[in-house]
Amino acid sequence: MIKATSKNDTLLHDADLSLGFAKIRNRQSPNPSYLEDKLNNDKNLNDYWKENIISELIGYYKNINIDTYEYYCYELEKKYPMNFYWNRQFALYLYENNKDLETAIRITNNMAEHNKLDHWTPFLQGHQLALQGKKEEAFQNFDNWLIKYSQTEENPNRYYKYIDLAVSYKFGLNKALEYAIKIENNVSSIYNKKLLAQLFYLTNQQDKAVEILKETIPLIETVKEKKEIDKMIEEYSN
């Protein structure tokens, strides 16, 4: 006998899962095991919910348990390669930690095929090339991408990725410095000033780097921030 599923049953099922998302997002009383159990044992779970549950678990475990984070990232990349929100961040994680570059490159190539307008495309391609010792080519490709796709729309996120790539590989580029100055002039913040200071330092302008870092002191709100800025000032002053 086939059990009929009413519309109300479907709504209750969806509401139950939504409650699971609410619980995991409440960091005071998270419940990841609930969603993991649903993922493994709920035979009525469709692909929409499976993908969203895996994504939710990736977000939950990202800064809690790196092994479990990796496990669900591999699951997502294997089953839902078009979920670029998390897959591209997984590729970045792999590049930054020099892990499983085959998977990172596969995600990068998939990004390039389907998301030519997305600034993560030249960013991830840049990581791929830089790890192969091709820094100049990485940034030349990024420059070409910016010329081709950034003429009609000013998007700071594109410049952030260019700057992040330069800082990651300690590559002093005047173009990256130019973008960092533009971003800081547009929105002044500790984060933007730190990026600018790093680019000044990488382009052999240590005095300006220290000067910018000292400008952050009145903006500091936490002990952690102060320790970080103090450490950078000490390093750049020597």
Side-chain angles (χ1 to χ4, degrees):
M1 178 178 176
I2 299 174
K3 181 181 178 182
T5 302
S6 70
K7 185 176 181 181
N8 285 341
D9 287 337
T10 301
L11 290 174
L12 286 171
H13 180 261
D14 290 354
D16 195 34
L17 285 166
S18 296
L19 180 60
F21 285 113
K23 287 180 178 179
I24 201 174
R25 288 169 186 166
N26 180 0
R27 293 294 173 168
Q28 292 181 336
S29 57
N31 191 1
S33 59
Y34 174 85
L35 289 181
E36 289 172 315
D37 182 65
K38 284 287 185 183
L39 185 64
N40 295 321
N41 300 311
D42 190 339
K43 295 181 180 179
N44 295 320
L45 211 59
N46 60 34
D47 277 345
Y48 169 82
W49 282 113
K50 287 178 182 176
E51 181 178 1
N52 278 278
I53 287 175
I54 294 173
S55 298
E56 197 73 26
L57 291 170
I58 288 172
Y60 175 78
Y61 283 114
K62 189 172 190 295
N63 298 310
I64 295 177
N65 186 314
I66 201 64
D67 292 332
T68 309
Y69 165 75
E70 285 189 13
Y71 170 79
Y72 284 116
C73 281
Y74 278 114
E75 287 292 296
L76 189 71
E77 194 275 329
K78 178 173 63 178
K79 296 177 181 176
Y80 305 102
M82 302 304 287
N83 186 325
F84 289 113
Y85 178 82
W86 282 114
N87 283 336
R88 66 189 187 183
Q89 294 189 50
F90 183 41
L92 177 60
Y93 165 82
L94 294 174
Y95 283 130
E96 288 181 337
N97 293 279
N98 203 16
K99 286 182 165 184
D100 191 5
L101 297 184
E102 182 179 342
T103 295
I105 291 170
R106 183 168 64 247
I107 295 172
T108 299
N109 291 341
N110 196 25
M111 278 285 300
E113 181 180 353
H114 294 94
N115 295 276
K116 289 183 174 62
L117 291 172
D118 192 301
H119 51 274
W120 277 81
T121 296
F123 177 58
L124 292 180
Q125 289 175 324
H127 275 281
Q128 180 181 333
L129 288 167
L131 284 175
Q132 295 170 355
K134 302 175 181 177
K135 289 183 183 180
E136 290 83 0
E137 185 178 345
F139 287 98
Q140 183 60 60
N141 287 353
F142 210 145
D143 287 333
N144 293 338
W145 184 91
L146 285 166
I147 291 170
K148 186 173 183 179
Y149 295 113
S150 294
Q151 295 300 306
T152 58
E153 180 187 1
E154 189 80 6
N155 186 341
N157 289 325
R158 295 171 175 175
Y159 301 137
Y160 273 122
K161 286 292 174 274
Y162 192 99
I163 294 166
D164 285 346
L165 193 63
V167 170
S168 293
Y169 295 98
K170 301 188 185 314
F171 203 45
L173 287 173
N174 289 327
K175 182 66 73 174
L177 177 59
E178 175 189 324
Y179 293 148
I181 291 171
K182 182 180 291 189
I183 287 173
E184 165 60 15
N185 286 341
N186 185 48
V187 178
S188 184
S189 67
I190 290 180
Y191 181 77
N192 289 342
K193 286 182 183 294
K194 278 165 49 183
L195 286 178
L196 182 54
Q198 286 172 294
L199 266 300
F200 273 130
Y201 183 75
L202 290 173
T203 53
N204 298 314
Q205 300 179 72
Q206 287 87 343
D207 290 344
K208 286 189 176 181
V210 172
E211 180 183 330
I212 289 293
L213 288 172
K214 287 181 178 178
E215 290 179 7
T216 69
I217 294 174
L219 305 174
I220 291 174
E221 295 181 348
T222 67
V223 173
K224 182 179 179 181
E225 283 179 344
K226 186 176 187 310
K227 286 182 178 179
E228 184 178 5
I229 296 300
D230 287 345
K231 183 178 179 181
M232 290 177 71
I233 290 175
E234 182 181 359
E235 177 185 351
Y236 293 177
S237 296
N238 294 330

